[in-house]
């Protein structure tokens, strides 16, 4: 993806999160920004908009990784190689729509559409969350092709009490504009004959993502329902490859951000011990780092 942050940045950057220890509530993008600031002193190399196509173990000391640039990178190491995979390999849109300058699959900031006539498409958590968030600052229309929403019950209750104009069941059939700005959207009643022409300034498409492991499925890992099975050390069935976060699964797994925060250091510390058998698995207190 083009930025760090995974689903937090891609789906709900301005949504409040309540399950991160030490933060009664924090916006998703603010949490990502804090994490980036926290990791910066350690000088990690960040590679964006690339994915590893395959991993081939040549011998105990070299693992070949072919990236999306189609260049093969050989990693000679003093001991067997290790890698950590920490998120679903890719997101892809389940639907696509004609894009204009004022049409966005995702707005990162609510300030971008303040005081606008805004239309949101979708019926899941992202669409309903955006509608609730923008309600105080914009004229919002929420369009969904079904009568019921799939979002969290509390969010739907909040939506019902808001000033958001809910338009169901309709779907978009056309978008009109002058080439630089979106002006109107045509809606068609699902299983009906009614057609509407709605004036808007901005359009947010929240039809959702489908997570996909992509080429990782071909690595020979133990895959279970589109996730990678690991043990208590976050080890996969292939020595030297570890997984953490939503992509990892094990008995009793609870998919929360808080859970991923614990899995990441478990994976990294065990990978370090795998690379260097003399290294301590327990790193000590964080105050010892500097």
């Amino acid at each position: 993806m083009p930025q760090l942050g995974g689903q937090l940045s891609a789906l709900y950057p301005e949504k409040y999160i309540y399950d991160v220890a030490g933060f009664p509530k924090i916006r998703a993008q603010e949490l990502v920004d804090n994490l980036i600031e926290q990791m910066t002193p350690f000088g990690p190399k960040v590679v964006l908009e690339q994915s590893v196509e395959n991993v081939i173990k040549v011998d105990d000391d070299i693992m070949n990784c072919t990236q999306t640039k189609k260049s093969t990178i050989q990693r000679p190491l003093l001991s067997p190689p290790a890698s950590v995979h920490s998120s679903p390999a890719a997101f892809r849109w389940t639907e696509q729509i004609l894009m204009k300058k004022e049409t966005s699959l995702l707005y990162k900031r609510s300030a971008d559409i303040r005081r606008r006539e805004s239309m949101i498409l979708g019926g899941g958590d992202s669409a309903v969350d955006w509608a609730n968030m923008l309600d105080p600052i914009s004229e919002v229309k929420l369009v969904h092709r079904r009568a019921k929403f799939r979002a969290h019950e509390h969010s739907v209750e909040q939506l019902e009490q808001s000033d958001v104009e809910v338009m169901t069941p309709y779907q978009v059939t056309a978008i009109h504009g002058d080439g630089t700005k979106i002006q109107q959207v045509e809606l068609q009643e699902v299983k009906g004959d009614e057609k509407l022409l709605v004036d808007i300034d901005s359009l947010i498409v929240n039809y959702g993502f489908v997570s996909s492991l992509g080429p990782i499925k071909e690595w020979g890992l133990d895959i279970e329902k589109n996730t990678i099975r690991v043990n208590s050390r976050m080890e996969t069935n292939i020595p030297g490859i570890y997984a953490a976060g939503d992509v990892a699964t094990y008995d009793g797994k609870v998919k929360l951000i808080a859970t991923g925060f614990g899995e990441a250091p478990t994976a990294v510390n065990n990978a370090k011990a795998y690379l260097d058998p003399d290294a301590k698995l327990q790193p000590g207190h964080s105050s010892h780092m500097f």
Side-chain angles (χ1 to χ4, degrees):
M1 298 187 72
Q3 76 284 322
L4 296 174
Q7 295 185 49
L8 278 71
S9 294
L11 293 182
Y12 45 87
E14 294 205 18
K15 179 182 176 181
Y16 279 114
I17 298 171
Y18 300 91
D19 66 345
V20 177
F23 293 97
K25 67 176 182 178
I26 184 171
R27 292 190 188 274
Q29 189 58 51
E30 183 183 357
L31 176 62
V32 172
D33 293 341
N34 287 350
L35 291 169
I36 292 173
E37 180 182 354
Q38 189 173 16
M39 79 174 187
T40 300
F42 301 95
K45 181 179 180 181
V46 178
V47 181
L48 301 174
E49 297 186 277
Q50 289 195 46
S51 63
V52 178
E53 295 295 304
N54 59 47
V55 175
I56 302 173
K57 198 164 185 177
V58 178
D59 55 40
D60 287 342
D61 295 325
I62 294 180
M63 181 182 290
N64 281 354
C65 300
T66 305
Q67 297 175 246
T68 51
K69 286 186 176 180
K70 305 302 180 185
S71 60
T72 299
I73 302 175
Q74 290 192 345
R75 300 290 190 189
L77 300 169
L78 297 179
S79 56
S83 66
V84 177
H85 190 74
S86 60
S87 64
F91 292 110
R92 61 179 176 83
W93 285 100
T94 57
E95 297 187 34
Q96 290 291 349
I97 193 168
L98 176 65
M99 301 294 293
K100 297 285 187 180
K101 184 175 181 181
E102 292 297 320
T103 308
S104 177
L105 292 179
L106 176 66
Y107 276 90
K108 290 188 176 182
R109 299 181 306 138
S110 58
D112 294 337
I113 44 182
R114 184 179 295 274
R115 294 185 298 277
R116 293 190 182 187
E117 295 280 347
S118 303
M119 179 178 286
I120 300 172
L121 308 182
D125 284 310
S126 296
V128 174
D129 286 343
W130 269 104
N132 287 333
M133 183 180 65
L134 294 176
D135 177 42
I137 63 172
S138 179
E139 296 293 328
V140 182
K141 295 177 174 61
L142 178 59
V143 179
H144 185 37
R145 55 183 175 267
R146 298 184 181 90
K148 294 184 177 180
F149 292 92
R150 305 183 309 278
H152 191 277
E153 181 180 357
H154 174 72
S155 300
V156 175
E157 291 175 356
Q158 183 181 350
L159 175 69
E160 292 172 346
Q161 298 171 6
S162 72
D163 292 327
V164 174
E165 182 179 351
V166 177
M167 308 179 73
T168 61
Y170 290 93
Q171 59 187 4
V172 175
T173 56
I175 299 174
H176 302 291
D178 60 6
T180 61
K181 182 180 179 181
I182 194 170
Q183 296 173 328
Q184 293 178 319
V185 170
E186 288 186 24
L187 300 178
Q188 170 70 53
E189 184 183 14
V190 177
K191 297 181 180 180
D193 299 325
E194 185 177 8
K195 295 183 179 180
L196 301 175
L197 189 62
V198 183
D199 295 333
I200 63 170
D201 298 316
S202 61
L203 180 66
I204 302 175
V205 183
N206 278 130
Y207 283 145
F209 289 93
V210 174
S211 62
S212 172
L213 291 177
I216 293 177
K217 288 184 177 180
E218 310 302 321
W219 291 9
L221 296 168
D222 185 2
I223 304 297
E224 181 178 308
K225 295 182 180 179
N226 212 39
T227 55
I228 303 171
R229 177 157 280 278
V230 297
N231 60 19
S232 60
R233 296 182 177 88
M234 312 311 295
E235 294 173 318
T236 69
N237 59 303
I238 299 179
I241 298 181
Y242 298 74
D246 284 349
V247 78
T249 189
Y250 47 82
D251 294 341
K253 167 84 174 193
V254 178
K255 286 193 173 183
L256 291 174
I257 296 173
T259 304
F261 279 156
E263 293 173 354
T266 299
V268 170
N269 288 350
N270 279 281
K272 170 64 176 176
Y274 179 83
L275 288 168
D276 181 4
D278 295 328
K280 293 182 179 180
L281 180 61
Q282 301 296 335
H285 300 294
S286 60
S287 57
H288 298 164
M289 292 180 179
F290 299 99

